[in-house]
């Protein structure tokens, strides 16, 4: 019988989208190989012809698994959920599941894309102001949404896909010096999640491609 090939994750240590998938893989206990894609070296390794065959959007992450290559972090996480359902990352209750997807999309579609590397490179000398504006606007809404959904974590008391989106986005907020004082619920949930092993081992400071000066 042929050996089952390990999943292969194309990732960049600081990519929040990659971090979401690393957390999911860790939570589900899925062993994988990692191939770093440096988004800034020599104009960005994601722009090479070789990587374009992996992901035509020339973004990370991409996950080669079960004989196919998937891109887009939420699509990857949903595939992992459907094929490797334990522990679950989507609630069983339809309403809570909808809320989980709402919060995930709020971050993954409404906040992160407008302050990612490709966008900021085109903003020029207003990068900090731009990032702070869009993160603040998104967090103002997210803090209100969490009043109706949060328990210990974003949706009740179990870790869900929404939590996988929240922690990397708070890390981005920290990088751009966003004042987190107005967002006590976001901050509380983030601190609780960072105590969990899956969030620690997947952290950008602990990846194979993390520069030495950023390692913890």
């Amino acid at each position: 019988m042929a050996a089952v090939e390990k999943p292969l994750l194309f990732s960049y240590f600081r990519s929040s989208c990659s971090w979401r998938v690393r957390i999911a893989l860790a939570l589900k206990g899925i062993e994988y190989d990692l191939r770093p894609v440096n988004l800034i070296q020599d104009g960005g390794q994601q722009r090479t012809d070789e990587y374009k065959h992996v992901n035509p959007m020339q973004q990370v992450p991409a996950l080669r698994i079960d004989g196919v290559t998937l891109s887009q972090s939420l699509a990857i996480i949903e595939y992992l959920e459907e094929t490797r359902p334990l522990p679950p990352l989507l609630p069983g209750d339809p309403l809570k599941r909808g809320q989980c997807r709402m919060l995930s999309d709020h971050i993954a579609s409404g906040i992160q894309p407008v302050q990612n590397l490709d966008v900021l490179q085109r903003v020029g000398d207003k990068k900090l102001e731009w990032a702070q504006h869009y993160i603040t606007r998104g967090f103002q809404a997210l803090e209100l949404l969490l009043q109706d959904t949060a328990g210990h974590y974003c949706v009740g008391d179990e870790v869900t896909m929404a939590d996988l989106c929240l922690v990397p986005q708070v890390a981005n907020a920290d990088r751009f010096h966003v004042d987190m004082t107005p967002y006590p619920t976001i901050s509380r949930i983030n601190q609780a999640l960072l105590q969990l092993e899956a969030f620690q081992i997947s952290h950008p400071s602990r990846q194979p491609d993390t520069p030495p000066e950023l390692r913890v």
Side-chain angles (χ1 to χ4, degrees):
M1 179 180 293
V4 177
E5 187 174 346
K6 270 188 187 179
L8 175 61
L9 178 65
F10 297 84
S11 171
Y12 179 58
F13 80 101
R14 190 173 261 170
S15 159
S16 55
C17 301
S18 298
W19 190 2
R20 296 170 196 157
V21 174
R22 294 197 303 263
I23 299 167
L25 291 165
L27 285 168
K28 290 181 176 292
I30 301 170
E31 294 187 2
Y32 64 95
D33 291 325
L34 187 140
R35 184 169 300 173
V37 179
N38 193 315
L39 302 185
I40 60 175
Q41 178 180 310
D42 300 326
Q45 293 177 349
Q46 77 278 19
R47 304 187 193 283
T48 64
D49 289 340
E50 178 185 5
Y51 189 70
K52 191 173 182 179
H53 288 293
V54 175
N55 182 358
M57 277 295 287
Q58 299 174 287
Q59 298 172 336
V60 290
L63 182 67
R64 189 168 291 163
I65 188 170
D66 299 337
V68 298
T69 301
L70 299 172
S71 59
Q72 299 300 325
S73 60
L74 297 193
I76 293 170
I77 293 168
E78 294 247 18
Y79 178 79
L80 295 176
E81 182 73 0
E82 291 172 359
T83 59
R84 296 149 175 89
L86 297 177
L89 295 177
L90 288 170
D93 176 75
L95 175 58
K96 289 185 176 181
R97 185 178 289 241
Q99 291 173 325
C100 175
R101 287 184 167 125
M102 172 188 70
L103 296 173
S104 300
D105 282 338
H106 178 86
I107 297 169
S109 299
I111 305 176
Q112 187 274 328
V114 289
Q115 43 91 110
N116 69 12
L117 178 63
D118 191 54
V119 171
L120 291 179
Q121 286 175 335
R122 285 159 174 76
V123 173
D125 59 3
K126 293 188 176 181
K127 291 183 178 67
L128 182 62
E129 178 185 349
W130 176 281
Q132 288 177 340
H133 170 78
Y134 284 105
I135 295 172
T136 297
R137 188 181 72 166
F139 275 11
Q140 287 172 346
L142 182 60
E143 182 73 17
L144 291 175
L145 291 170
L146 289 170
Q147 305 312 305
D148 294 327
T149 67
H152 196 53
Y153 303 120
C154 283
V155 183
D157 296 327
E158 301 298 327
V159 175
T160 67
M161 182 168 67
D163 299 299
L164 277 57
C165 295
L166 181 135
V167 169
Q169 186 55 59
V170 174
N172 281 343
D174 290 341
R175 281 181 58 211
F176 292 112
H177 310 295
V178 172
D179 179 12
M180 293 299 294
T181 305
Y183 317 116
T185 308
I186 295 174
S187 297
R188 173 184 63 79
I189 294 170
N190 180 66
Q191 288 303 314
L193 290 164
L194 287 174
Q195 303 306 308
L196 303 179
E197 182 182 12
F199 288 79
Q200 294 174 1
I201 64 175
S202 61
H203 194 278
S205 65
R206 299 179 63 179
Q207 300 312 300
D209 56 327
T210 305
E213 65 273 16
L214 297 178
R215 289 187 176 276
V216 174

